[in-house]
Amino acid sequence: MTLPDHHLTQGERRIRSFHPHWKRLVLPFLALVLVVVAAGAAMFLIPGGWEYAFYARIAVVVIGLILLTIWSLVPYLRWVNTGYVLTTHRFTISTGVLNKSTDEIPITKVNTVSSDQTFPERLLGCGTLTVESAGDRGEIVLRDIPKIQDVRTDLFRLVEDASDGELDGR
């Protein structure tokens, strides 16, 4: 995913890799369906005998493709190019479609790990993870983390192991 195995340091192993929760794709999917249905209806309603029917159909296709790109493709690309990797030594957050931005938080620098969930998020099993570190950025808030309680537990366990001087649970 966002951190290839050959970028792991000696003795470092991947605990968990994931994207944001799939709920981020619900609105782009609904937009996709809506644009396709609207474009299909517009194509059907353009009279065949009209002298500008060809240009009208091209306009419908162009507008439909622009809307699909903005409302569906771009959010999907953002989702698929956002990744989180939790290893025994660091928590990596990678974002960006054309430009890539990567934040790495060493496990030894993490001070606090907390999570928040609204009722709908509890039903979906996702939530907001807040990681407070001793680094430059201080507090990082990550929204729509899937399996939030498992991620929080793994991260907290790694922080506890690092503070006890243990490496990789040993």
Side-chain angles (χ1 to χ4, degrees), residues 60-82:
V60 166
V61 169
V62 168
I63 291 170
L65 288 175
I66 290 170
L67 292 177
L68 283 176
T69 300
I70 293 170
W71 291 345
S72 294
L73 182 63
V74 170
Y76 172 74
L77 289 175
R78 282 188 186 138
W79 178 82
V80 87
N81 286 298
T82 299

Side-chain angles (χ1 to χ4, degrees), residues 8-164:
L8 297 177
T9 61
Q10 185 175 358
E12 183 178 19
R13 66 181 179 84
R14 186 184 313 263
I15 303 295
R16 181 180 292 271
S17 294
F18 53 95
H19 292 287
H21 196 266
W22 58 263
K23 79 174 189 171
R24 283 195 184 174
L25 297 176
V26 170
L27 288 177
F29 178 75
L30 291 175
L32 175 104
V33 171
L34 180 69
V35 168
V36 168
V37 168
M43 296 287 264
F44 178 75
L45 294 175
I46 294 173
W50 184 40
E51 64 180 300
Y52 298 110
F54 175 74
Y55 299 112
R57 287 189 175 103
I58 288 178
V60 166
V61 169
V62 168
I63 291 170
L65 288 175
I66 290 170
L67 292 177
L68 283 176
T69 300
I70 293 170
W71 291 345
S72 294
L73 182 63
V74 170
Y76 172 74
L77 289 175
R78 282 188 186 138
W79 178 82
V80 87
N81 286 298
T82 299
Y84 307 104
V85 178
L86 181 61
T87 72
T88 53
H89 294 96
R90 57 188 155 169
F91 186 46
T92 303
I93 302 129
S94 179
T95 59
V97 177
L98 298 177
N99 298 326
K100 197 62 132 175
S101 174
T102 303
D103 290 322
E104 291 186 350
I105 305 169
I107 295 298
T108 56
K109 299 283 186 190
V110 174
N111 294 332
T112 308
V113 179
S114 62
S115 63
D116 295 312
Q117 290 179 294
T118 62
F119 181 69
E121 287 175 334
R122 287 187 70 192
L123 294 175
L124 293 173
C126 64
T128 301
L129 184 71
T130 304
V131 179
E132 186 179 325
S133 70
D136 296 338
R137 297 186 72 190
E139 184 177 88
I140 296 178
V141 178
L142 306 168
R143 300 191 191 312
D144 299 328
I145 301 296
K147 299 181 182 176
I148 184 80
Q149 295 305 330
D150 294 341
V151 172
R152 187 174 123 348
T153 301
D154 287 345
L155 188 54
F156 186 73
R157 185 177 304 121
L158 290 169
V159 169
E160 285 296 310
D161 287 349
S163 68
D164 291 343

